[in-house]
Amino acid sequence: MSYPVGQVASFAGVTVRTLHHYDEIGLLSPSARSHAGHRRYDDADLDRLQRILFYRELGFPLEEVAHAMEARKMGINLTPEERFEVFGDHDPDRYEEESRRRWGDTEPYRQSQRKVSAYTKEDWLRIKAEGAANTDAFAALMDAGTAPSAPAAMDLAEEHRQQICRNFYDCGYEIHSGLARMYSDDERFRSTFEQIKPGLAAYLTEAILANAARHA
């Protein structure tokens, strides 16, 4: 299946002129042309466009985007339009290479790969909504002055763990604690939470560790 340039511009949130420019500089050349010579983009082209927009969002100049892009396959079985709708300019495969290197031989990684490969757009939207609601609830507890070791915060941490178990892999308390420390120690993850609310990464970490201790 292929898509005309106007349709691609519409669901990607860019202008037709931008796509023409990407073609002219060799960053994204459509795989086909119509009989009239108009650009036609296939699914692989749209996957590449999503990654281009992701790197542009990070501030990469156009001349560096092509060298920064790497092929990452997470097994997400969505059409290009659905990927844009669910993930926007966020690349869901952003940490896939690192994840495979660190955990590729583990059962949780294999479980996650099996699950995500079967998810539909509706599944991903549900997962995003669940995660956002959990994060918002943590932020609300912070606003209320609730300690991260309080029962309400630990209950949210348990809900967070259960979401991982349902949607990705069996996440025991030891694994969950490791994730919690990564949320605070790894700048990439910490900044994501800090953009939502300053101090949220540390608060979430403490709540998860307290919940793990409660179940020890």
Side-chain angles (χ1 to χ4, degrees):
M1 186 174 182
S2 64
Y3 311 85
V5 65
Q7 184 179 1
V8 173
S10 177
F11 60 65
V14 299
T15 65
V16 170
R17 175 186 283 275
T18 294
L19 294 177
H20 286 177
H21 181 58
Y22 287 173
D23 186 9
E24 290 164 1
I25 65 176
L27 185 59
L28 176 65
S29 298
S31 297
R33 297 268 180 169
S34 68
H35 292 301
H38 300 304
R39 295 170 174 85
R40 303 288 300 188
Y41 296 80
D42 64 14
D43 288 353
D45 296 331
L46 299 188
D47 283 342
R48 181 175 177 83
L49 175 58
Q50 185 188 40
R51 295 196 296 274
I52 291 170
L53 296 179
F54 166 72
Y55 282 108
R56 291 291 291 138
E57 182 70 16
L58 290 180
F60 280 72
L62 281 179
E63 60 269 19
E64 294 182 13
V65 170
H67 306 300
M69 289 172 60
E70 298 178 7
R72 298 181 178 94
K73 299 298 182 181
M74 189 176 173
I76 296 177
N77 188 25
L78 299 178
T79 67
E81 301 100 311
E82 289 172 336
R83 288 174 69 99
F84 276 116
E85 182 176 346
V86 173
F87 300 110
D89 57 18
H90 167 68
D91 183 1
D93 300 327
R94 183 177 180 181
Y95 302 119
E96 174 59 15
E97 182 179 344
E98 179 181 349
S99 297
R100 184 183 296 112
R101 185 173 63 251
R102 294 176 65 178
W103 301 297
D105 291 332
T106 67
E107 182 55 28
Y109 180 88
R110 288 189 287 268
Q111 285 181 351
S112 180
Q113 291 295 97
R114 288 193 297 269
K115 286 190 175 184
V116 301
S117 66
Y119 283 157
T120 64
K121 179 187 74 173
E122 288 71 25
D123 291 323
W124 282 112
L125 291 174
R126 171 186 54 78
I127 291 168
K128 281 186 65 180
E130 288 179 359
N134 184 261
T135 301
D136 289 345
F138 271 114
L141 287 183
M142 288 185 67
D143 288 338
T146 304
S149 58
M154 290 190 290
D155 289 345
L156 277 181
E158 179 62 18
E159 179 183 311
H160 182 273
R161 188 185 72 85
Q162 290 293 340
Q163 287 178 1
I164 296 173
C165 291
R166 286 195 307 272
N167 298 318
F168 299 106
Y169 54 84
D170 295 334
C171 183
Y173 293 104
E174 182 178 353
I175 293 176
H176 201 211
S177 295
L179 287 175
R181 295 185 181 94
M182 186 171 64
Y183 294 158
S184 289
D185 296 342
D186 191 313
E187 173 59 28
R188 296 167 299 179
F189 292 97
R190 183 171 64 250
S191 64
T192 298
F193 291 111
E194 295 301 293
Q195 288 173 13
I196 298 171
K197 184 174 181 61
L200 181 58
Y203 187 91
L204 177 59
T205 297
E206 290 185 42
I208 290 175
L209 294 178
N211 182 58
R214 177 173 63 165
H215 289 86

